[in-house]
Amino acid sequence: MALTFLVTVPGSDPQTITLDQPRVVIGRGAHVDVRLPSRAVSDQHALIRVDGPDVSIVDEGSTNGTRVNGVAIARGRRKFLRDGDEIGVGDYAVKVSFVIALADPPERTATLARRLLRDSLRSLGGDSAPPYLELRSGKTAGRRWEIPAAGSRLTLGRAEGCEVLLDDRDCSRQHAEVERDAEGYALRDLGSKNGIVVGGRSLSEKRLKNGDEFTIGKSTLRFVDPTEELLRSFETGSDEAAPPPPPRPSTPPPTPSLPPPAPAEEPAAALAPTPDPKALKERRGDADWIVLALAVVILVVSVVALVIVLKG
C-alpha cells in the first residue's frame, strides 16, 4: 500500500507526492521524505509508519507539535491514521490517502519543497529568482543565461541560434540542452562529438542540482538554483515557535427538546357534557306529572279529614 500526501499551505495550490515505503519522515531537513520549508516545522517533525493495513504517526518531539484532524497529538505516542485524515504541521495541512499506485521518483521530494517555497513566497508578494547557467571559464567567464519556464529548452553550442552561444572550437554546433520539466532540470547531450563531462566522466544525461558543474568542449558551466539555495538555509538554525492555529468552528450542542406544555384544566362546568334538549323536555314532563299526582293525593286526604270532622 502506498500513501499519497496532498500538501496545502494558505495562499498556494495543493501539491502531491506518493510514497511506497514503510517509514515516511515529515520535516524541513534535507534528509526527510515530505519536506516542508518553514521554521515552524522541525528538522525531523513526525514519523509515519506503514505496518500492513495499519498506518500510524508519531510526533518526534517537534517544537510546535503535530495535529490530526485539528487535534494535537501527544509527543512520542503512536496515533493511528485513517484514509483521508489531515495532519497539521506548522502552517501546512497534509491530507493522507491510502492508495494502490507507483511511488514518485526520489527527486520528487526536492521538487515538492521547491514548489511549496515558491508558492509561499508568491503568497507574500515575492518570488524567488529563476535558475541560470553561469560560465566558469574563458574570456566571458561570469556570463549568465536564465533557464526558461517548463516546456522550453535552452540549447548550448557554438552555432548561431543557440541560446547559450559558446566561443569554443571543441564544442559542437548544437552540443547539449537544458530542459525544465515537472521534476526539475535535465541536461542532455545532443549527439555531440565530445559529450558532457561531469566529474571527469562523460555522460549523455544528468539531472541538475544546485551547484553542479559540467564541461562541454573546453567550457565549464555551473547550474545555480536560487530556490534550492534558499531551501538549504532552512537546514540550519533553530525552530521558531508558531502561534497556535485558530480553533476549528464547533457545532453547538443541540438544545434539549422540552415536552409540550400540558393543557390548562377547564372548569367543571365546561367539562360537563351539554344536555340534549329533547331529553330535558321529557324529564320536565315527568316532573310535572309527579307534582300533579301529589297535589291530587293531598286534596283527597284533606277532603276525607274534613268529612270526619263534620260528622263528629
Side-chain angles (χ1 to χ4, degrees), residues 110-165:
T111 302
L112 172 70
R114 283 194 296 268
R115 288 181 178 176
L116 291 173
L117 182 57
R118 282 195 293 264
D119 287 346
S120 297
L121 291 173
R122 290 191 191 104
S123 69
L124 297 174
D127 201 352
S128 58
Y132 59 87
L133 295 177
E134 181 183 34
L135 186 61
R136 303 284 289 167
S137 61
K139 296 179 181 178
T140 57
R143 187 177 178 185
R144 297 179 179 181
W145 295 270
E146 287 187 5
I147 298 176
S152 301
R153 292 176 171 84
L154 195 68
T155 306
L156 297 77
R158 59 182 175 84
E160 294 293 336
C162 290
E163 288 79 14
V164 180
L165 184 58

Side-chain angles (χ1 to χ4, degrees), residues 15-16 104-105 107-115 118 148-152 179-186 188 207:
Q15 304 290 341
T16 63
D104 287 323
E107 56 265 22
R108 179 68 178 168
T109 294
T111 302
L112 172 70
R114 283 194 296 268
R115 288 181 178 176
R118 282 195 293 264
S152 301
E179 180 185 14
R180 181 176 178 179
D181 57 25
E183 302 306 327
Y185 307 90
R188 298 187 184 92
R207 302 295 303 186

Side-chain angles (χ1 to χ4, degrees), residues 155-290:
T155 306
L156 297 77
R158 59 182 175 84
E160 294 293 336
C162 290
E163 288 79 14
V164 180
L165 184 58
L166 300 172
D167 184 13
D168 185 344
R169 291 180 177 273
D170 292 329
C171 181
S172 297
R173 292 178 59 80
Q174 289 189 331
H175 197 109
E177 68 177 8
V178 174
E179 180 185 14
R180 181 176 178 179
D181 57 25
E183 302 306 327
Y185 307 90
L187 172 67
R188 298 187 184 92
D189 183 77
L190 295 178
S192 66
K193 182 172 62 176
N194 299 316
I196 302 168
V197 179
V198 180
R201 296 174 56 196
S202 181
L203 303 175
S204 60
E205 183 172 345
K206 176 174 173 56
R207 302 295 303 186
L208 293 173
K209 297 179 182 179
N210 180 59
D212 280 349
E213 292 191 356
F214 59 92
T215 301
I216 57 175
K218 291 183 179 178
S219 303
T220 300
L221 297 100
R222 181 174 66 174
F223 171 73
V224 180
D225 184 358
T227 303
E228 184 66 27
E229 291 183 341
L230 184 57
L231 274 176
R232 286 186 180 179
S233 69
F234 286 99
E235 297 175 16
T236 58
S238 57
D239 300 347
E240 292 180 359
R248 289 192 168 192
S250 57
T251 305
T255 304
S257 57
L258 299 175
E265 294 186 0
E266 298 184 7
L271 296 176
T274 304
D276 184 7
K278 184 177 179 181
L280 249 156
K281 186 175 180 181
E282 290 177 355
R283 284 198 295 270
R284 284 176 183 173
D286 294 342
D288 290 345
W289 278 107
I290 292 171

Side-chain angles (χ1 to χ4, degrees), residues 27-165:
R28 78 164 193 269
H31 59 287
V32 304
D33 304 298
V34 180
R35 190 175 178 187
L36 307 177
S38 169
R39 293 213 175 272
V41 180
S42 296
D43 185 66
Q44 181 167 319
H45 197 103
L47 172 65
I48 294 178
R49 294 182 182 274
V50 180
D51 185 12
D54 295 330
V55 181
S56 60
I57 184 170
V58 175
D59 182 278
E60 297 281 89
S62 67
T63 298
N64 294 303
T66 304
R67 306 176 300 278
V68 174
N69 298 326
V71 179
I73 64 175
R75 290 177 173 85
R77 294 183 62 181
R78 191 177 184 186
K79 167 73 176 176
F80 285 97
L81 297 174
R82 296 173 297 178
D83 184 27
D85 277 351
E86 183 181 279
I87 303 170
V89 180
D91 291 333
Y92 294 94
V94 184
K95 183 179 179 180
V96 184
S97 299
F98 304 169
V99 298
I100 304 298
L102 294 176
D104 287 323
E107 56 265 22
R108 179 68 178 168
T109 294
T111 302
L112 172 70
R114 283 194 296 268
R115 288 181 178 176
L116 291 173
L117 182 57
R118 282 195 293 264
D119 287 346
S120 297
L121 291 173
R122 290 191 191 104
S123 69
L124 297 174
D127 201 352
S128 58
Y132 59 87
L133 295 177
E134 181 183 34
L135 186 61
R136 303 284 289 167
S137 61
K139 296 179 181 178
T140 57
R143 187 177 178 185
R144 297 179 179 181
W145 295 270
E146 287 187 5
I147 298 176
S152 301
R153 292 176 171 84
L154 195 68
T155 306
L156 297 77
R158 59 182 175 84
E160 294 293 336
C162 290
E163 288 79 14
V164 180
L165 184 58

